[in-house]
Amino acid sequence: MTAARSGNYKWVALINTTIGILMATIDSSIVLISLPAIFRGIGINPLTTGNTSYLLWMLMGYMVVTAVLVVTFGRVGDMWGRVKMYNLGFLVFTVGSLAASLTYFGGPPAAIYLIVMRIVQGVGGAMIMANSAAILTDAFPENERGMALGINSVAGIAGSFIGLVAGGLLSVVDWHLIFYVSVPIGVLGTVWAYLKLEEVSKKEGGRIDLAGNVLFGVGLVAVLVGITYALQPYGGSSMGWTNPFVLALLIGGVVLLLAFVVVEGRVAQPMFDVSLFRIRAFAAGNIASLLSSVGRGGLMFMLIIWLQGIWLPLHGYNFVDTPLWAGIYMLPLTAGFLIAGPASGWLSDHFGARPFATGGMVAAAATFGLLLLLPVDFGYLWFALLLLCNGLAMGLFAAPNTAGIMNAVPPNRRGVASGMRSTFQNAGMTLSIGLFFTIMVVGLAASLPSALTHGLTAQGVPAAAAGRIAHLPPVSILFAAFLGYNPMKSLLGPTLAKLSPAHQAALTGHGFFSHLIAGPFHDGLTIVFSFALVMCLVAAAASWMRGSAAAAARASQAVRASQAGRAAGDG
């Protein structure tokens, strides 16, 4: 281990794993901004009721798979080699990207094929995410890990925002490029990883915890799938939280996860090492990571809706161009991550993780509070400054928190600890979609119907047609704004042709739809950002409770001694 650390190996490991994590996280969001181009390319209207599931699974499939598999692949990495699992992940991800880029057919088969290939990419991404932090922790000495893990974790977080810009740029040319662009990077990274990365840590061996894997996988999939289908209308309700199928998934998933916790405390070689939660720094860091992911994920989705559905059209941008410009206008957020992440990692190496991770969450909460004060039609300078400050705050938190988690665990549990950390982060992002869309829909439901009715009748739309549109599920309007669509033409149907040319032009122009939803959207936005503010403050409290580095070291030694005693007893 010392020999590997003394040379250039640690920098090779840092560059390669940073490329890997950046590629994996860029792909988690690159589709997000490219969905309109993808659905136009395969000839499917995602706002049609029967096609909503394609939209949701294109959006959620990748995140669900990575959230479910990272712990398993982290544990397998501890057993059989972290570098082996990481290299295989690079290869699987590259194959999935190449296969997705070759979708030159259309209709529902194309949508299903793309969803499957996104799942394949998710499997590869989970292997990369589960083992990259463990590989870096093995390669770097403790007094440099904060910097290394900071660069790596910030690359992961920044990748989700870089993907927005990349998706906007590439989808304008050809939507296939959003998948193809990963192929040459993947080939280069795969070959380089196989040639240069070394198994620095000692392989632990052992056997797979089959019962734990099944309970955890099925339970978490059930919960996340339940959240996904809860976003669709059910019966007379605007969302599906009362759907018996959704309730069965959520309740059944929670029961399986509780059974999983019981089983993991009793098996000799658990997949999800519950004993690590006896290390306060590990437990507090993961709770803070989960809560920060919920806040950050919600911010990203709300900003996309805000820009694509309202602000950009109000400022004269065509709806078809809004995905590209939304990504560009969100660049200050990415810049904040890139500036603060490596710097805070270096600082945490010298002064500890707690003050910087906690301070980052407090600062993030302050930015959400300031965002609440912005009008819907804001001045961009203030918007950009707040995004930059939010990026700086999240970057200030991410690197020290990751270093604090990874430094706190025994060396032989770094793979599973890295996977558990990624599970909390990815599950938080997926959970945030369900939570924030639900909160926003609740906010919209209070004022959107009356706004639609008054706005449409003012443009000559008959009261009956206006009432029908006003009582459509708010989630349909929200998805339209999220995708940067002006849905008036499809919503009005034949009624549009019966109106005067002036009214037709007004209804289908840049500003009508955006003006119509601006007020109700702001009502929902107030609730969403208030919730995110609270999440960040609770995350700050959890982060502060991590304790000192010395306390974490003592807890880590105690856990390792307990593991050794249990292994000896089993033997």
Side-chain angles (χ1 to χ4, degrees), residues 433-444:
I433 298 174
L435 285 175
F436 280 78
F437 268 106
T438 299
I439 293 169
M440 177 59 75
V441 167
V442 170
L444 286 174

Side-chain angles (χ1 to χ4, degrees), residues 484-533:
Y485 279 29
N486 181 350
M488 286 296 114
K489 186 174 181 179
S490 59
L491 289 177
L492 288 167
T495 303
L496 184 65
K498 300 176 183 177
L499 303 179
S500 70
H503 285 153
Q504 289 184 39
L507 288 166
T508 57
H510 293 169
F512 178 79
F513 176 65
S514 300
H515 273 296
L516 199 62
I517 67 170
F521 177 78
H522 190 264
D523 294 340
L525 200 65
T526 300
I527 303 173
V528 165
F529 282 166
S530 297
F531 181 79
L533 187 155

Side-chain angles (χ1 to χ4, degrees), residues 250-422:
L250 294 175
I251 295 171
V254 170
V255 169
L256 289 174
L257 290 176
L258 291 174
F260 165 76
V261 172
V262 174
V263 168
E264 293 302 275
R266 298 181 179 180
V267 298
Q269 297 179 5
M271 163 198 149
F272 202 105
D273 196 342
V274 181
S275 67
L276 293 178
F277 286 100
R278 302 206 315 255
I279 304 172
R280 189 168 64 174
F282 178 83
N286 276 302
I287 292 170
S289 179
L290 173 68
L291 296 173
S292 71
S293 294
V294 170
R296 188 176 67 250
L299 174 68
M300 182 168 65
F301 282 95
M302 293 306 108
L303 290 179
I304 291 172
I305 295 170
W306 198 350
L307 289 169
Q308 290 189 189
I310 300 174
W311 193 84
L312 287 167
L314 289 178
H315 287 256
Y317 290 83
N318 290 322
F319 278 93
V320 71
D321 298 326
T322 56
L324 168 61
W325 287 102
I328 292 173
Y329 279 118
M330 288 172 65
L331 279 175
L333 192 62
T334 305
F337 277 114
L338 296 177
I339 293 168
S344 66
W346 182 86
L347 289 169
S348 71
D349 285 335
H350 294 80
F351 304 105
R354 182 161 63 167
F356 302 101
T358 304
M361 281 294 94
V362 172
T367 61
F368 280 115
L370 292 171
L371 280 167
L372 283 169
L373 302 178
L374 281 182
V376 174
D377 191 11
F378 50 78
Y380 181 71
L381 176 61
W382 293 109
F383 182 76
L385 285 173
L386 287 178
L387 290 193
L388 176 64
C389 290
N390 188 273
L392 290 169
M394 291 291 187
L396 185 66
F397 164 81
N401 191 64
T402 300
I405 291 171
M406 295 304 297
N407 283 335
V409 300
N412 68 326
R413 285 294 185 268
R414 285 172 182 165
V416 72
S418 177
M420 291 163 75
R421 180 190 65 85
S422 295

Side-chain angles (χ1 to χ4, degrees), residues 14 17 33 36 48 86 115-117 133 136 155 187 216 232 306 324 337 399 410 444 464 485 540 553:
L14 176 60
T17 56
I33 209 78
T48 301
Y86 174 85
I115 290 167
V116 172
M117 290 306 106
L136 284 180
V187 170
F216 179 78
Q232 299 186 54
W306 198 350
L324 168 61
F337 277 114
L444 286 174
Y485 279 29

Side-chain angles (χ1 to χ4, degrees), residues 69-86 127 130-132 134-135 138 199 201-205 208 411-416 419:
L69 293 179
V70 284
V71 176
T72 299
F73 290 147
R75 172 63 181 148
V76 173
D78 284 340
M79 291 167 54
W80 295 329
R82 295 161 188 166
V83 169
K84 285 182 181 177
M85 290 301 296
Y86 174 85
M127 292 179 181
N131 292 282
S132 60
I135 290 170
D138 290 338
E199 292 287 3
S201 63
K202 181 181 177 181
K203 300 175 189 176
E204 185 177 310
I208 292 289
N412 68 326
R413 285 294 185 268
R414 285 172 182 165
V416 72

Side-chain angles (χ1 to χ4, degrees), residues 37-371:
I38 292 173
F39 280 106
R40 281 196 300 270
I42 62 177
I44 286 181
N45 180 1
L47 300 179
T48 301
T49 303
N51 295 334
T52 306
S53 59
Y54 297 140
L55 168 64
L56 287 171
W57 279 108
M58 201 83 74
L59 184 66
M60 304 276 279
Y62 184 92
M63 289 185 277
V64 169
V65 170
T66 53
V68 169
L69 293 179
V70 284
V71 176
T72 299
F73 290 147
R75 172 63 181 148
V76 173
D78 284 340
M79 291 167 54
W80 295 329
R82 295 161 188 166
V83 169
K84 285 182 181 177
M85 290 301 296
Y86 174 85
N87 293 348
L88 180 61
F90 236 133
L91 178 62
V92 171
F93 186 93
T94 305
V95 170
S97 299
L98 178 61
S101 70
L102 299 177
T103 312
Y104 286 97
F105 51 99
I112 295 170
Y113 174 79
L114 280 172
I115 290 167
V116 172
M117 290 306 106
R118 288 285 289 161
I119 290 172
V120 172
Q121 285 182 309
V123 172
M127 292 179 181
I128 293 171
M129 293 177 191
N131 292 282
S132 60
I135 290 170
L136 284 180
T137 306
D138 290 338
F140 278 82
E142 187 171 349
N143 65 336
E144 294 180 354
R145 283 179 196 153
M147 176 272 298
L149 290 168
I151 292 172
N152 193 256
S153 62
V154 167
I157 295 172
S160 63
F161 293 100
I162 293 171
L164 300 178
V165 181
L169 290 169
L170 295 173
S171 62
V172 169
V173 181
D174 184 345
W175 68 266
H176 294 88
L177 292 175
I178 68 171
F179 298 111
Y180 181 73
V181 71
S182 300
V183 176
I185 300 172
V187 170
L188 175 64
T190 301
V191 173
W192 189 27
Y194 270 97
L195 293 177
K196 295 296 183 180
L197 293 185
E198 306 167 11
E199 292 287 3
V200 175
S201 63
K202 181 181 177 181
K203 300 175 189 176
E204 185 177 310
R207 60 180 181 270
I208 292 289
D209 171 19
L210 182 60
N213 274 273
V214 171
L215 287 171
F216 179 78
V218 176
L220 190 56
V221 165
V223 170
L224 296 179
V225 170
I227 291 171
T228 300
Y229 281 103
L231 298 178
Q232 299 186 54
Y234 173 73
S237 176
S238 59
M239 302 199 79
W241 291 101
T242 57
N243 186 336
F245 175 66
V246 169
L247 291 173
L249 286 172
L250 294 175
I251 295 171
V254 170
V255 169
L256 289 174
L257 290 176
L258 291 174
F260 165 76
V261 172
V262 174
V263 168
E264 293 302 275
R266 298 181 179 180
V267 298
Q269 297 179 5
M271 163 198 149
F272 202 105
D273 196 342
V274 181
S275 67
L276 293 178
F277 286 100
R278 302 206 315 255
I279 304 172
R280 189 168 64 174
F282 178 83
N286 276 302
I287 292 170
S289 179
L290 173 68
L291 296 173
S292 71
S293 294
V294 170
R296 188 176 67 250
L299 174 68
M300 182 168 65
F301 282 95
M302 293 306 108
L303 290 179
I304 291 172
I305 295 170
W306 198 350
L307 289 169
Q308 290 189 189
I310 300 174
W311 193 84
L312 287 167
L314 289 178
H315 287 256
Y317 290 83
N318 290 322
F319 278 93
V320 71
D321 298 326
T322 56
L324 168 61
W325 287 102
I328 292 173
Y329 279 118
M330 288 172 65
L331 279 175
L333 192 62
T334 305
F337 277 114
L338 296 177
I339 293 168
S344 66
W346 182 86
L347 289 169
S348 71
D349 285 335
H350 294 80
F351 304 105
R354 182 161 63 167
F356 302 101
T358 304
M361 281 294 94
V362 172
T367 61
F368 280 115
L370 292 171
L371 280 167

